[in-house]
Amino acid sequence: MKYLVVNAPNFPLSNSSILIEPVDALTIATWIQHNHNDVSFIDLDRFGLDAINDLAANYKVALVVFDYLIALYSSEGVNHLGSLFSALAKRAEYILFVGRIATYFPYEVLDKFPEVYGCIIGEPEVVLADLFKYKDLRLLKNNPQIITRESKLDGSKLFSNNKGINIYDLFPKFGPIANRKLCQFDKYIDVHSIIASRGCSGRCKFCSTGGYLGNWKAASPELVLSEIKHLINLGTHKIIFLDDNFSNDQNRITKICEMIIQEKIDITWGCLCRIIDLNEDIIQQMHKAGCRWIHFGIEHDQQTRLKLGKNFSDEDAIRIIQFAQKIGVRIRTSWILDLLEATANSVKNTFELAKIISSYEIKLHFLALRPGSKYYDQVKFPKSIFNNNNVNEIFIHKGSPFNTSSKELELSIVNQFEKFKLEMCDIGYQWVPDARFWDKFNNREALPNEKFFSTSIMRYGLGWVR
């Protein structure tokens, strides 16, 4: 069968100065190719919707990937899905939709877009495995991971994302590795990505990862090393692991680092970790293996953070981060200012803690109610994706507080935020108003001591000194 995998465009298109290759969509395309199918890949967020005009018109199945494992999208991207589906309908017999919108709003999608044959619930590999077996989408009507108009009408289908299945059990030990040759690899920034695990063992109230992807599962250390070598062979010098929680298994981290050190692999890399998973010895080993950047979600002050399910103290965070930065690991911390439990005093404590920690990069968030999170279920607001004035609340990259019931709290957050901006600029931090700020680094590297803070999307790979 002939497949087309489409990484859907954002609107406006994501700035090219922050774009990495969409490894989540590429992994799907590689999985299809690995099972002896003809596959094409196109990244419309990099090249725009008009790039569809250069495609052939005889695909059996087009898979559209939107807001899947890499969360770059905004509500404006949703508003332009119709144009995308209309264009693809001229080139593919069947259109399947993949990602969080497909998972949590399948019936709305099918009602809105007659071109879409079905919405895949959760991770698409299980559905694709059945498709490779049966060769006909119409024979998948009993698979609980695909919602079609037929399954909607019969009313008997289970709404499940098969969270008990370990996707990595479908893969051989040494592959498949996401085939970057399917995309125009040189059209992205100099940091390239690996997703080496999925899901999370934590259940933070604001986070949708556990609800969407289930418990943490991971590729073998051998597969991770193979993918690192694959990227090096393509000319890569910097790698970002985009796993939601790279550090879940300390023994696995140790094994990966040992393999990198033993084989003398020259690579600089970064990852997203939890404070509770790391200690000084592990960080020291990560640094020896080339790690030069770690993202930690601190989120809020200690009292509020503990209510979320993030069980570490301010002292733990300060100790771990200060040690990492002392030995040369650049740290990004992320914070959510307007959590549902937030108060004016907790926001004040949060800003004070951010100043004490003084990570080289500070990412400030306003709350997003992500489908699949406990917060999303808790808050009473219109739970629809189309024709909804509150739709912006479910996307991560926002520039204003959540529509709280307390206008007094909202005003306090805004006022404290403006004060924080002035204080940080006074001590040498650079404020990043939007993604265009990063254009200046297209032709130069950041200095190791350059510091940034923002509510906008931040670039990977700056100041990573080997």
Side-chain angles (χ1 to χ4, degrees):
M1 291 175 66
K2 191 172 183 179
Y3 291 81
L4 172 66
V5 176
V6 179
N7 190 54
N10 206 353
F11 282 88
L13 295 179
S14 298
N15 190 288
S16 61
S17 63
I18 57 98
L19 267 186
I20 54 177
E21 75 279 12
V23 69
D24 52 352
L26 278 170
T27 299
I28 296 171
T30 304
W31 175 237
I32 294 170
Q33 187 180 57
H34 180 76
N35 283 272
H36 312 293
N37 293 286
D38 184 2
V39 64
S40 298
F41 177 84
I42 187 166
D43 181 6
L44 297 182
D45 197 30
R46 178 64 182 86
F47 300 105
L49 189 59
D50 289 343
I52 289 181
N53 297 329
D54 298 328
L55 296 174
N58 58 341
Y59 295 99
K60 185 71 173 180
V61 180
L63 285 93
V64 176
V65 182
F66 181 93
D67 198 16
Y68 178 36
L69 300 181
I70 301 176
L72 277 177
Y73 290 97
S74 68
S75 56
E76 280 301 303
V78 174
N79 296 333
H80 290 81
L81 286 172
S83 300
L84 172 58
F85 292 140
S86 295
L88 288 175
K90 301 173 184 177
R91 291 165 174 80
E93 184 175 347
Y94 295 100
I95 297 175
L96 295 179
F97 194 33
V98 176
R100 284 173 166 81
I101 302 303
T103 295
Y104 292 104
F105 305 96
Y107 297 146
E108 279 194 70
V109 170
L110 294 173
D111 285 342
K112 181 80 170 179
F113 305 116
E115 303 91 347
V116 177
Y117 176 78
C119 292
I120 293 180
I121 309 303
E123 298 163 283
E125 284 87 352
V126 175
V127 171
L128 291 173
D130 273 1
L131 182 53
F132 303 149
K133 177 179 178 181
Y134 295 115
K135 307 295 184 184
D136 189 337
L137 267 74
R138 292 169 296 181
L139 298 178
L140 300 185
K141 61 182 180 181
N142 294 321
N143 188 314
Q145 266 195 275
I146 182 169
I147 302 293
T148 66
R149 289 173 181 79
E150 182 178 318
S151 62
K152 176 183 176 181
L153 292 173
D154 69 27
S156 62
K157 180 161 293 192
L158 295 174
F159 190 85
S160 167
N161 69 349
N162 284 335
K163 286 181 283 188
I165 294 176
N166 186 342
I167 295 300
Y168 292 99
D169 289 343
L170 297 173
F171 301 154
K173 187 174 183 179
F174 293 102
I177 293 169
N179 183 5
R180 275 75 176 187
K181 293 180 181 179
L182 290 170
C183 70
Q184 297 184 47
F185 192 66
D186 60 344
K187 299 297 183 182
Y188 300 92
I189 65 172
D190 65 341
V191 185
H192 296 290
S193 57
I194 295 176
I195 296 178
S197 65
R198 301 185 193 179
C200 186
S201 59
R203 290 295 184 270
C204 300
K205 290 182 179 180
F206 60 86
C207 182
S208 65
T209 296
Y212 180 50
L213 298 171
N215 291 329
W216 187 84
K217 55 264 188 184
S220 68
E222 292 83 1
L223 179 54
V224 174
L225 198 73
S226 294
E227 191 154 8
I228 291 172
K229 291 178 178 178
H230 171 70
L231 286 171
I232 290 173
N233 289 337
L234 293 173
T236 297
H237 301 287
K238 299 177 186 177
I239 291 174
I240 175 70
F241 287 94
L242 288 177
D243 315 28
D244 286 288
N245 183 13
F246 180 79
S247 60
N248 193 79
D249 184 338
Q250 292 184 354
N251 292 331
R252 180 172 174 271
I253 296 176
T254 298
K255 179 66 173 177
I256 291 170
C257 291
E258 287 175 348
M259 294 169 74
I260 292 173
I261 295 166
Q262 289 171 2
E263 298 200 25
K264 298 180 180 179
I265 294 174
D266 186 14
I267 192 68
T268 303
W269 53 278
C271 56
L272 288 70
C273 297
R274 298 188 302 181
I275 291 289
I276 61 171
D277 292 333
L278 299 186
N279 57 44
E280 287 85 347
D281 289 340
I282 293 176
I283 295 172
Q284 186 80 57
Q285 187 179 39
M286 291 168 67
H287 179 265
K288 186 177 180 182
C291 178
R292 293 297 182 270
W293 183 91
I294 301 175
H295 171 281
F296 289 117
I298 309 301
E299 316 311 354
H300 213 80
D301 77 336
Q302 178 172 303
Q303 184 177 356
T304 307
R305 183 172 62 247
L306 292 174
K307 296 176 183 177
L308 303 176
K310 296 183 80 75
N311 297 317
F312 62 88
S313 67
D314 290 350
E315 290 74 20
D316 290 334
I318 294 168
R319 173 177 54 83
I320 290 293
I321 291 170
Q322 288 185 347
F323 174 81
Q325 294 197 147
K326 181 180 179 180
I327 66 170
V329 179
R330 190 176 176 89
I331 300 297
R332 177 186 296 178
T333 54
S334 64
W335 310 78
I336 305 175
L337 302 178
D338 53 342
L339 292 165
L340 298 185
E341 295 85 358
T343 65
N345 191 56
S346 75
V347 174
K348 178 182 178 181
N349 293 339
T350 298
F351 283 127
E352 288 301 319
L353 180 59
K355 287 187 286 186
I356 292 171
I357 290 176
S358 292
S359 57
Y360 281 104
E361 301 171 16
I362 299 173
K363 178 65 168 75
L364 302 166
H365 290 274
F366 294 111
L367 180 62
L369 293 178
R370 299 290 276 167
S373 69
K374 293 179 181 178
Y375 270 176
Y376 183 82
D377 294 333
Q378 176 181 337
V379 175
K380 305 301 181 184
F381 79 115
K383 303 293 177 68
S384 60
I385 194 65
F386 304 112
N387 301 319
N388 180 0
N389 292 332
N390 291 310
V391 69
N392 190 52
E393 301 297 351
I394 75 172
F395 292 94
I396 290 176
H397 301 287
K398 305 164 46 183
S400 59
F402 171 69
N403 290 331
T404 64
S405 56
S406 171
K407 294 301 179 185
E408 181 180 350
L409 175 58
E410 184 176 334
L411 181 61
S412 176
I413 291 171
V414 171
N415 288 340
Q416 292 190 61
F417 174 56
E418 293 301 324
K419 178 184 177 184
F420 179 77
K421 284 173 64 176
L422 292 174
E423 291 173 343
M424 300 310 283
C425 289
D426 284 344
I427 60 173
Y429 278 80
Q430 299 177 60
W431 170 246
V432 182
D434 55 51
R436 291 171 295 183
F437 172 90
W438 305 113
D439 290 346
K440 68 175 73 175
F441 296 102
N442 289 342
N443 298 310
R444 80 165 178 91
E445 178 58 87
L447 299 175
N449 61 350
E450 283 193 82
K451 296 183 177 183
F452 311 104
F453 71 121
S454 182
T455 58
S456 182
I457 297 173
M458 299 184 76
R459 177 170 172 150
Y460 296 120
L462 295 178
W464 297 11
V465 178
R466 184 67 164 140

